[in-house]
Amino acid sequence: MVAVDPSGTKGQSDDGDEIGIIVAGKGIDSRAYVLADRTCMLSPDGCWGRRAVDAYHGRWSQTPDKVKADRIVAERNFGGAMVKHVIKTIEPTAPCKEVTASRGKKGRISHQRKKHRLGVRFYDAAREPTPRW
């Protein structure tokens, strides 16, 4: 799956947070693995949306046919219907599910130990002290 956490930034022209975009999958051991981090600071007018759709199609990998996601999951707490609208404008057939975070960022971070990172960059600690996911 591809997970999108919007920030509301206009892109590189402002000082807003990055848009969190990750590709994750479930291993045969039933653990979640982050396969790619496509986080960026781009505008919603096709830039970060295109990046999320490319991740959905597996275009982050040298073997995209083997890593295509089954859906895009987007947090709507900040972006409302914006994320789904941006995704569907770029790729009308991409399955996109909106979710609402049930806990604050600190609560979500405490569960990070259940996820396994496979050598991907997560966030810039100098710019953002806590992960977006």
Side-chain angles (χ1 to χ4, degrees), residues 33-52:
Y33 289 87
V34 176
L35 305 173
D37 184 351
R38 307 298 293 149
T39 295
C40 59
M41 185 178 275
L42 300 170
S43 65
D45 61 352
C47 296
W48 66 253
R50 170 59 53 202
R51 196 170 181 118

Side-chain angles (χ1 to χ4, degrees), residues 94-107:
C96 185
K97 179 179 179 176
E98 295 175 316
V99 297
T100 302
S102 60
R103 346 172 176 210
K105 195 177 288 187
K106 287 184 181 182

Side-chain angles (χ1 to χ4, degrees), residues 76-128:
R76 69 173 155 212
N77 291 16
F78 182 85
M82 177 209 39
V83 176
K84 191 169 189 176
H85 173 75
V86 169
I87 298 297
K88 291 295 189 177
T89 299
I90 294 167
E91 181 70 54
T93 61
C96 185
K97 179 179 179 176
E98 295 175 316
V99 297
T100 302
S102 60
R103 346 172 176 210
K105 195 177 288 187
K106 287 184 181 182
R108 293 190 309 256
I109 291 168
S110 69
H111 293 280
Q112 287 286 326
R113 70 192 105 157
K114 294 182 182 176
K115 297 168 190 71
H116 302 275
R117 302 169 184 164
L118 300 178
V120 295
R121 181 197 72 80
F122 274 86
Y123 64 97
D124 181 353
R127 293 196 68 237
E128 188 175 5

Side-chain angles (χ1 to χ4, degrees), residues 14-27:
D14 68 15
D15 291 330
D17 290 334
E18 294 178 317
I19 293 88
I21 302 173
I22 62 160
V23 181
K26 185 177 179 180

Side-chain angles (χ1 to χ4, degrees), residues 3 5-6 25 71 95 115:
D5 183 3
R71 77 190 62 186
K115 297 168 190 71

